[in-house]
Amino acid sequence: MNTATRRTVIAGNWKMNKTPSEAAAFVKELAPMVAGKDNCDIVACVPFVCLPAALEAAKGTNVQIGAQNVHFEKSGAFTGEISADMLLDLGVNYVIIGHSERRQYFGETNETVNKRVLAALNAGLKVILCIGELELEREQGITAEILGLQTKIALLGVTAEQLKNVIIAYEPVWAIGTGKTATDEQADEACGIVRDYIKALYGAEAAEATTIQYGGSMNAKNCAGLLAKVNVDGGLIGGASLKAPDFTVIVDAAQ
Ligand code: PGA
């Protein structure tokens, strides 16, 4: 973390877990545990149907609530989709875009990720943009190229001003939900590579100001080492975000 030039963000990605009642109970359990821990932003990205209950439970706390995806059109014949305006109207301010599970199982591409990023930013949402290489790509030695491709395409048309509302989550696909975490050095190196791409696209000051998280089996045990790295500005946490005590340990490590 480099808290002098950028904000640390600890975000939970609940994926398809918890009902609305469970979400409300969880936020009520978590909020007192993380109260006053303001050296990082604390976000829980919950399933769409949990948003109202989670938002209500988070009122008056330092826990912010995010969604896990957003469609790129404003409205129309897109059965099952959710627009940025719908999220904003609820009071949501963060949205995850381009998670590898969306890319793997739901046909999302760099191009649709870019369209979603633009729609979300234009509407006024903060974006957690996920990128990351497959295990094979790491073995092939093309991690940097993949990260460059994903970053550049996702940010096409994003202005320097809008970039201030973008958090990048570096999530090596081989580390997600596998218990196989990147080493502290691998995470730092990859986040540094992404920062260099941001520098090439937007300049040094923007690169220094951009929050770049690590995600992929981050947990209560390994978070301190990862967060101690200068290029790792927080975490996007799946499994370990579902238990309030574990998530709190990660928030504590970011203080
Ligand atoms: P994990 O998930 O922490 O369970 O590996 C991270 C993510 O997918 O964002």
Side-chain angles (χ1 to χ4, degrees), residues 13 15 99-101 171 175-178 215-218 236-240:
N13 172 15
K15 311 192 180 191
H99 190 277
S100 65
E101 285 150 18
E171 298 207 305
I176 294 177
T178 58
S217 300
M218 188 187 269
L236 183 57
I237 300 119

Side-chain angles (χ1 to χ4, degrees), residues 48 51 67 69-73 78 80-87 116:
F48 286 129
L51 286 168
N69 198 7
V70 65
H71 193 62
F72 41 82
E73 295 293 346
F78 302 100
E81 292 299 319
I82 303 288
S83 74
D85 288 344
M86 293 174 189
L87 296 178
R116 287 174 208 270

Side-chain angles (χ1 to χ4, degrees), residues 89 115 117 122-123 197 202 206 227 238:
D89 188 68
K115 285 165 86 169
V117 166
N122 289 337
Y197 283 116
Y202 295 94
L227 293 171

Side-chain angles (χ1 to χ4, degrees), residues 80-212:
E81 292 299 319
I82 303 288
S83 74
D85 288 344
M86 293 174 189
L87 296 178
L88 280 167
D89 188 68
L90 279 181
V92 171
N93 49 9
Y94 279 93
V95 62
I96 295 173
I97 294 179
H99 190 277
S100 65
E101 285 150 18
R102 301 294 318 171
R103 297 179 192 250
Q104 266 184 300
Y105 309 136
F106 301 100
E108 292 197 20
T109 63
N110 287 326
E111 287 70 27
T112 58
V113 168
N114 174 237
K115 285 165 86 169
R116 287 174 208 270
V117 166
L118 291 174
L121 291 173
N122 289 337
L125 289 166
K126 290 184 187 169
V127 168
I128 300 177
L129 164 65
C130 299
I131 57 169
E133 82 287 0
L134 303 172
E135 188 154 39
L136 178 65
E137 292 164 340
R138 179 162 281 267
E139 285 165 8
Q140 290 169 330
I142 57 169
T143 298
E145 286 84 349
I146 294 296
L147 297 180
L149 202 75
Q150 292 178 339
T151 304
K152 283 185 190 175
I153 298 175
L155 296 178
L156 282 174
V158 172
T159 66
E161 195 53 35
Q162 287 178 318
L163 185 72
K164 293 176 184 163
N165 285 324
V166 177
I167 293 163
I168 298 178
Y170 164 64
E171 298 207 305
V173 179
W174 47 270
I176 294 177
T178 58
K180 235 200 255 179
T181 323
T183 64
D184 303 345
E185 290 70 28
Q186 283 172 326
D188 191 44
E189 184 191 23
C191 290
I193 288 169
V194 176
R195 199 174 306 287
D196 284 343
Y197 283 116
I198 299 294
K199 184 175 170 188
L201 292 169
Y202 295 94
E205 206 176 311
E208 278 307 308
T210 300
T211 296
I212 304 178

